[in-house]
Amino acid sequence: KMGLSKIWLLVSCLLWTCLPQSQGTVYPRDILLKTPKFRRVWGGVQSNTGPNFGGWLLRILNGDGNFACGAAYYAPLLVITSANCIYPYRNSLEGATVEGTAFSECDRENYADIDTIQFPEKFIYQKLYMDVAVVRLRDPVRGRLTEFIRLCSVKVQPKMQMVVFGWGFDNTEVEIPSSDPRNVTVTIISIKECRQKFKSPKIASTSICARQPKNPKQCLYDGGSPLIYGRELCGVVSFGSHCIDTSRPGMYTNIRRVKRFITETEESINAGDVFRSTKVVKETKKPPKKTIKPKSKPVKIQRLLRTVMVEPLVC
C-alpha cells in the first residue's frame, strides 16, 4: 500500500508541474497526423493559457520569412485563410511556413512548411466570391498549446458582434505592425447597408460585412485573419476594404457559406485524391524560436472578455 501511495504521489506531482494552476489548457504532447480534431479543439477564451488568443491562431510567412496572411488551424495538416491573400504566393511556396502564435516554455518550435494550397473552382482573384483557401502542411504545427478551431455553425446576422484578429500589416500608413497579434470587436451589418456604403449592388453571397472601428489605429484588416463568434471560426478577412478609410465596411468571407468546400477538400485529402507537392524543399532558415522567461509570480493576462491567472510551466 505504501508503495502504491508513493507512486500515485509521484505521478500527481509530475502532472501538476506540466499543468497550469488555472483553467487554461496545456496539452501533454504535440499534434500528430492522426490526432482527432475533437480531442484538440479550442475551448474558448477561458481555456487560453499564457499571453495568447488560443493555439488555433496562425500566421503565414512567405519564403523570405515576412508576414503574408493570417490563418486559422482547422486540422492536423489543414489551415484556413483567404484565397485572395495567399494566391500571389501559390507558385513560390519554397520556404513558406505557417507559424503558431501560442507558445509554452516546453516548445522548441511551432511552425510547419506549406505543401500545397487548394482554391475553390469558382474563385477569381481579386473577387469576393468564394474567397477562401485550404493550405495543406507537410507536417502538423507543433506546440503544447497548439489546437484547432471549429467551423461556424450559426447563421450570421446583422448586429451580431464578432472578434477579428490581426497584426496591423494592412495599416502601416497609420501605425507600425505589432509583432504579437491583437484583436478588436466589430459589428455585422446588413447586405443592404453594405451596398449603400460601397455604392455598389454587387456583394458576393459568400461575404459578410462588418462596421469598422472609427479610429484607424484600432482597425485590423490583415488578409486571411480570422473572424470568430464565441469559439467558432465564422469568417476570414477578405478583399476590397482597408483601414485608411474606416467608413467603408470590412469584407469577410462567410465560413458557413464556404463550409462545404472546406470539408470536401478535407475528405479528398484524407482519401488521397489530392496529391502532395513533388518539389524538393530547399533547406531554409527556420523562424527564430520564441522564448518565454519563467515568472516567479502568476501573470495576469487580459484577453477578450476574461482574465486567466497563469502559473509558470515546468517541462
Side-chain angles (χ1 to χ4, degrees), residues 42-49 228 230-231 303-308:
W42 184 50
V45 179
Q46 69 276 6
S47 70
N48 288 356
T49 300
I228 69 167
R231 54 183 182 178
R303 284 293 180 263
L304 296 180
L305 303 176
R306 184 165 181 140
T307 300
V308 179

mmCIF file of all heavy atoms in Angstrom, residues 42-49 228 230-231 303-308:
data_model
loop_
_atom_site.group_PDB
_atom_site.id
_atom_site.type_symbol
_atom_site.label_atom_id
_atom_site.label_comp_id
_atom_site.label_asym_id
_atom_site.label_seq_id
_atom_site.Cartn_x
_atom_site.Cartn_y
_atom_site.Cartn_z
ATOM 1 N N TRP A 42 -10.297 24.090 -29.652
ATOM 2 C CA TRP A 42 -10.252 25.244 -28.757
ATOM 3 C C TRP A 42 -11.520 25.315 -27.919
ATOM 4 O O TRP A 42 -12.633 25.259 -28.439
ATOM 5 C CB TRP A 42 -10.086 26.515 -29.588
ATOM 6 C CG TRP A 42 -9.931 27.772 -28.801
ATOM 7 C CD1 TRP A 42 -9.071 27.998 -27.773
ATOM 8 C CD2 TRP A 42 -10.636 29.005 -29.003
ATOM 9 N NE1 TRP A 42 -9.186 29.294 -27.306
ATOM 10 C CE2 TRP A 42 -10.141 29.936 -28.047
ATOM 11 C CE3 TRP A 42 -11.628 29.419 -29.894
ATOM 12 C CZ2 TRP A 42 -10.611 31.244 -27.957
ATOM 13 C CZ3 TRP A 42 -12.095 30.719 -29.815
ATOM 14 C CH2 TRP A 42 -11.598 31.615 -28.860
ATOM 15 N N GLY A 43 -11.353 25.505 -26.615
ATOM 16 C CA GLY A 43 -12.499 25.557 -25.717
ATOM 17 C C GLY A 43 -13.001 26.945 -25.413
ATOM 18 O O GLY A 43 -13.850 27.129 -24.543
ATOM 19 N N GLY A 44 -12.507 27.946 -26.117
ATOM 20 C CA GLY A 44 -12.932 29.312 -25.857
ATOM 21 C C GLY A 44 -11.905 30.070 -25.040
ATOM 22 O O GLY A 44 -10.858 29.546 -24.658
ATOM 23 N N VAL A 45 -12.204 31.335 -24.763
ATOM 24 C CA VAL A 45 -11.264 32.216 -24.080
ATOM 25 C C VAL A 45 -10.834 31.659 -22.733
ATOM 26 O O VAL A 45 -9.675 31.783 -22.326
ATOM 27 C CB VAL A 45 -11.898 33.607 -23.891
ATOM 28 C CG1 VAL A 45 -10.952 34.545 -23.148
ATOM 29 C CG2 VAL A 45 -12.266 34.213 -25.232
ATOM 30 N N GLN A 46 -11.766 31.009 -22.010
ATOM 31 C CA GLN A 46 -11.448 30.506 -20.685
ATOM 32 C C GLN A 46 -10.406 29.392 -20.706
ATOM 33 O O GLN A 46 -9.814 29.070 -19.680
ATOM 34 C CB GLN A 46 -12.713 30.000 -19.979
ATOM 35 C CG GLN A 46 -13.316 28.737 -20.568
ATOM 36 C CD GLN A 46 -14.221 29.009 -21.758
ATOM 37 O OE1 GLN A 46 -14.309 30.145 -22.217
ATOM 38 N NE2 GLN A 46 -14.886 27.983 -22.245
ATOM 39 N N SER A 47 -10.148 28.812 -21.881
ATOM 40 C CA SER A 47 -9.156 27.732 -21.968
ATOM 41 C C SER A 47 -7.779 28.225 -22.368
ATOM 42 O O SER A 47 -6.834 27.443 -22.433
ATOM 43 C CB SER A 47 -9.628 26.673 -22.981
ATOM 44 O OG SER A 47 -9.567 27.172 -24.306
ATOM 45 N N ASN A 48 -7.635 29.528 -22.637
ATOM 46 C CA ASN A 48 -6.339 30.066 -23.039
ATOM 47 C C ASN A 48 -5.325 29.977 -21.907
ATOM 48 O O ASN A 48 -5.666 30.160 -20.744
ATOM 49 C CB ASN A 48 -6.470 31.521 -23.478
ATOM 50 C CG ASN A 48 -7.156 31.669 -24.809
ATOM 51 O OD1 ASN A 48 -7.484 30.688 -25.467
ATOM 52 N ND2 ASN A 48 -7.398 32.901 -25.212
ATOM 53 N N THR A 49 -4.083 29.708 -22.263
ATOM 54 C CA THR A 49 -3.005 29.636 -21.287
ATOM 55 C C THR A 49 -1.886 30.576 -21.712
ATOM 56 O O THR A 49 -1.349 30.438 -22.796
ATOM 57 C CB THR A 49 -2.441 28.203 -21.201
ATOM 58 O OG1 THR A 49 -3.494 27.323 -20.801
ATOM 59 C CG2 THR A 49 -1.327 28.117 -20.172
ATOM 60 N N ILE A 228 -14.076 35.537 -35.410
ATOM 61 C CA ILE A 228 -14.706 34.483 -34.622
ATOM 62 C C ILE A 228 -15.963 34.986 -33.929
ATOM 63 O O ILE A 228 -16.129 36.175 -33.659
ATOM 64 C CB ILE A 228 -13.743 33.891 -33.577
ATOM 65 C CG1 ILE A 228 -13.430 34.912 -32.474
ATOM 66 C CG2 ILE A 228 -12.464 33.394 -34.224
ATOM 67 C CD1 ILE A 228 -12.758 34.313 -31.255
ATOM 68 N N GLY A 230 -17.942 33.610 -30.535
ATOM 69 C CA GLY A 230 -17.834 32.615 -29.469
ATOM 70 C C GLY A 230 -16.511 31.875 -29.598
ATOM 71 O O GLY A 230 -15.438 32.469 -29.544
ATOM 72 N N ARG A 231 -16.601 30.582 -29.828
ATOM 73 C CA ARG A 231 -15.378 29.778 -30.004
ATOM 74 C C ARG A 231 -15.338 29.114 -31.380
ATOM 75 O O ARG A 231 -14.732 28.058 -31.555
ATOM 76 C CB ARG A 231 -15.277 28.720 -28.906
ATOM 77 C CG ARG A 231 -16.505 27.828 -28.767
ATOM 78 C CD ARG A 231 -16.321 26.883 -27.600
ATOM 79 N NE ARG A 231 -17.470 25.982 -27.468
ATOM 80 C CZ ARG A 231 -17.560 25.027 -26.549
ATOM 81 N NH1 ARG A 231 -16.576 24.843 -25.698
ATOM 82 N NH2 ARG A 231 -18.630 24.255 -26.485
ATOM 83 N N ARG A 303 -7.533 38.866 -21.982
ATOM 84 C CA ARG A 303 -7.800 38.517 -23.372
ATOM 85 C C ARG A 303 -9.308 38.490 -23.595
ATOM 86 O O ARG A 303 -10.039 37.775 -22.911
ATOM 87 C CB ARG A 303 -7.219 37.136 -23.703
ATOM 88 C CG ARG A 303 -5.681 37.167 -23.878
ATOM 89 C CD ARG A 303 -5.296 37.975 -25.107
ATOM 90 N NE ARG A 303 -3.876 38.043 -25.322
ATOM 91 C CZ ARG A 303 -3.125 39.051 -24.931
ATOM 92 N NH1 ARG A 303 -3.664 40.075 -24.296
ATOM 93 N NH2 ARG A 303 -1.841 39.067 -25.186
ATOM 94 N N LEU A 304 -9.761 39.257 -24.572
ATOM 95 C CA LEU A 304 -11.177 39.341 -24.917
ATOM 96 C C LEU A 304 -11.984 39.759 -23.700
ATOM 97 O O LEU A 304 -11.867 40.863 -23.232
ATOM 98 C CB LEU A 304 -11.667 38.007 -25.490
ATOM 99 C CG LEU A 304 -11.015 37.583 -26.802
ATOM 100 C CD1 LEU A 304 -11.578 36.251 -27.259
ATOM 101 C CD2 LEU A 304 -11.219 38.601 -27.876
ATOM 102 N N LEU A 305 -12.781 38.842 -23.127
ATOM 103 C CA LEU A 305 -13.692 39.212 -22.059
ATOM 104 C C LEU A 305 -13.345 38.571 -20.728
ATOM 105 O O LEU A 305 -14.100 38.682 -19.779
ATOM 106 C CB LEU A 305 -15.127 38.811 -22.454
ATOM 107 C CG LEU A 305 -15.630 39.400 -23.768
ATOM 108 C CD1 LEU A 305 -17.007 38.856 -24.095
ATOM 109 C CD2 LEU A 305 -15.696 40.921 -23.686
ATOM 110 N N ARG A 306 -12.232 37.855 -20.652
ATOM 111 C CA ARG A 306 -11.967 37.098 -19.449
ATOM 112 C C ARG A 306 -10.499 37.204 -19.056
ATOM 113 O O ARG A 306 -9.617 37.281 -19.886
ATOM 114 C CB ARG A 306 -12.343 35.625 -19.657
ATOM 115 C CG ARG A 306 -12.182 34.786 -18.393
ATOM 116 C CD ARG A 306 -12.905 33.472 -18.547
ATOM 117 N NE ARG A 306 -12.767 32.692 -17.335
ATOM 118 C CZ ARG A 306 -13.718 31.980 -16.806
ATOM 119 N NH1 ARG A 306 -14.892 31.958 -17.351
ATOM 120 N NH2 ARG A 306 -13.515 31.261 -15.723
ATOM 121 N N THR A 307 -10.220 37.176 -17.743
ATOM 122 C CA THR A 307 -8.863 37.186 -17.233
ATOM 123 C C THR A 307 -8.510 35.799 -16.737
ATOM 124 O O THR A 307 -9.267 35.176 -16.005
ATOM 125 C CB THR A 307 -8.729 38.192 -16.072
ATOM 126 O OG1 THR A 307 -9.059 39.490 -16.553
ATOM 127 C CG2 THR A 307 -7.309 38.205 -15.526
ATOM 128 N N VAL A 308 -7.331 35.308 -17.137
ATOM 129 C CA VAL A 308 -6.875 33.993 -16.714
ATOM 130 C C VAL A 308 -5.583 34.150 -15.919
ATOM 131 O O VAL A 308 -4.663 34.833 -16.353
ATOM 132 C CB VAL A 308 -6.608 33.085 -17.946
ATOM 133 C CG1 VAL A 308 -6.114 31.711 -17.495
ATOM 134 C CG2 VAL A 308 -7.885 32.948 -18.769
#
